């Protein structure tokens, strides 16, 4: 899909830390050979917090390859009755990773809810930490998160939906209803992501 529509889609390499060196090689293959622009991690699936040592080889490899990594932070929903997963993704764990890997671009996705204030504090503290706005409808975003996008955090948040969780058309309509400043909205919807993932599109001037 990425190869067929390079101007419309970019891929992320999913991480499975239980695969060890095989997983590292697969991630590197995805980025070097398939043209993926970063990595993705869902810590709840592995029941280990983002700052656990099991992930550190992947963080080091992302640094080596010069790509960002997204990871789900916040609580974990109850997907099945048979296997409820612990919520291991407190946003503050990204603080430790950012201290150990200051050149690694970290994106805490799902806004860190219900610890969105904690996620904002980590993104504010570290130049290499960003927030993904996906999985929660804009109409229900915490007021402090909207204010962060619209002012002092305008360069630290990227647009996302986690489709099909949130429909993109619904998200865009509800973002318009937030009445963001034009420059902040442009950075949030477009420029921040282009700069973060080094996409072959020129950021608009702001």
């Amino acid at each position: 899909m990425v190869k067929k529509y390079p101007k419309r889609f970019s891929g992320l390499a999913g991480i499975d830390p239980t695969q060890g060196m095989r997983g590292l090689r697969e991630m590197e293959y995805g980025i070097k050979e398939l043209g993926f622009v970063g990595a993705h991690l869902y810590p709840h699936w592995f029941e280990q917090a983002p700052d656990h040592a099991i992930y550190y080889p992947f963080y080091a490899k992302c640094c080596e390859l010069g790509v960002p990594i997204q990871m789900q932070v916040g609580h974990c929903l109850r997907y099945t009755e048979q296997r409820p997963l612990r919520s291991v993704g407190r946003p503050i764990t990204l603080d430790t990773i950012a201290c150990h890997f200051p050149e690694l671009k970290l994106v805490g996705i799902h806004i860190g809810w219900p610890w969105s204030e904690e996620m904002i504090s980590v993104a504010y503290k570290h130049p290499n930490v960003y927030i993904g706005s996906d999985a929660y409808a804009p109409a229900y975003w915490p007021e402090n998160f909207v204010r962060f996008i619209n002012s002092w955090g305008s360069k630290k948040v990227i647009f996302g939906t986690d489709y099909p969780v949130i429909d993109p058309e619904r998200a865009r309509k509800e973002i318009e209803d937030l009445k963001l400043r034009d420059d902040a909205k442009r950075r949030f919807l477009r420029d921040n992501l282009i700069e973060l993932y080094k996409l072959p599109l020129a950021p608009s001037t702001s």
Side-chain angles (χ1 to χ4, degrees):
M1 187 179 294
V2 172
K3 188 176 292 185
K4 189 174 182 180
Y5 303 104
K7 294 184 179 180
R8 294 184 64 85
F9 297 101
S10 296
L12 297 178
I15 289 177
D16 181 352
T18 66
Q19 293 185 347
M21 289 304 298
R22 176 187 172 190
L24 275 176
R25 295 187 186 102
E26 287 189 356
M27 186 183 80
E28 186 169 20
Y29 172 78
I31 292 166
K32 283 188 172 181
E33 303 300 327
L34 301 181
F36 293 169
V37 297
H40 178 276
L41 170 64
Y42 200 83
H44 303 305
W45 289 347
F46 309 107
E47 300 191 79
Q48 298 291 351
D51 58 356
H52 192 278
I54 195 172
Y55 306 117
Y56 270 46
F58 294 89
Y59 299 154
K61 179 60 71 171
C62 285
C63 288
E64 179 185 318
L65 297 173
V67 297
I69 180 170
Q70 291 188 12
M71 63 186 69
Q72 200 275 342
V73 290
H75 83 140
C76 179
L77 295 175
R78 190 178 183 91
Y79 297 108
T80 68
E81 294 299 319
Q82 294 74 25
R83 191 189 172 215
L85 298 174
R86 295 184 302 119
S87 295
V88 299
R90 286 292 295 260
I92 197 64
T93 57
L94 272 62
D95 180 55
T96 300
I97 304 167
C99 287
H100 289 164
F101 297 94
E103 62 189 84
L104 174 63
K105 302 295 186 182
L106 291 159
V107 186
I109 61 175
H110 295 18
I111 74 173
W113 192 88
W115 302 289
S116 55
E117 185 82 24
E118 188 173 285
M119 185 66 248
I120 289 170
S121 72
V122 179
Y124 171 69
K125 175 180 178 180
H126 295 284
N128 57 320
V129 175
Y130 300 80
I131 307 174
S133 70
D134 57 312
Y136 293 92
Y140 300 101
W141 286 346
E143 183 180 343
N144 60 347
F145 182 60
V146 175
R147 186 164 58 249
F148 187 67
I149 294 171
N150 203 34
S151 56
W152 52 301
S154 63
K155 296 183 178 181
K156 302 303 295 283
V157 187
I158 61 173
F159 171 70
T161 64
D162 200 27
Y163 179 82
V165 177
I166 302 297
D167 181 78
E169 291 188 7
R170 172 190 176 181
R172 286 293 289 112
K173 179 183 182 303
E174 292 183 359
I175 286 169
E176 291 301 320
D177 293 340
L178 296 177
K179 307 299 183 184
L180 300 174
R181 293 184 294 108
D182 287 344
D183 57 332
K185 182 170 66 174
R186 185 170 56 244
R187 291 207 63 90
F188 166 56
L189 292 174
R190 183 179 188 274
D191 292 353
N192 290 343
L193 191 135
I194 292 172
E195 294 171 0
L196 179 61
Y197 285 96
K198 302 175 183 176
L199 300 180
L201 297 169
S204 56
T205 57
S206 57

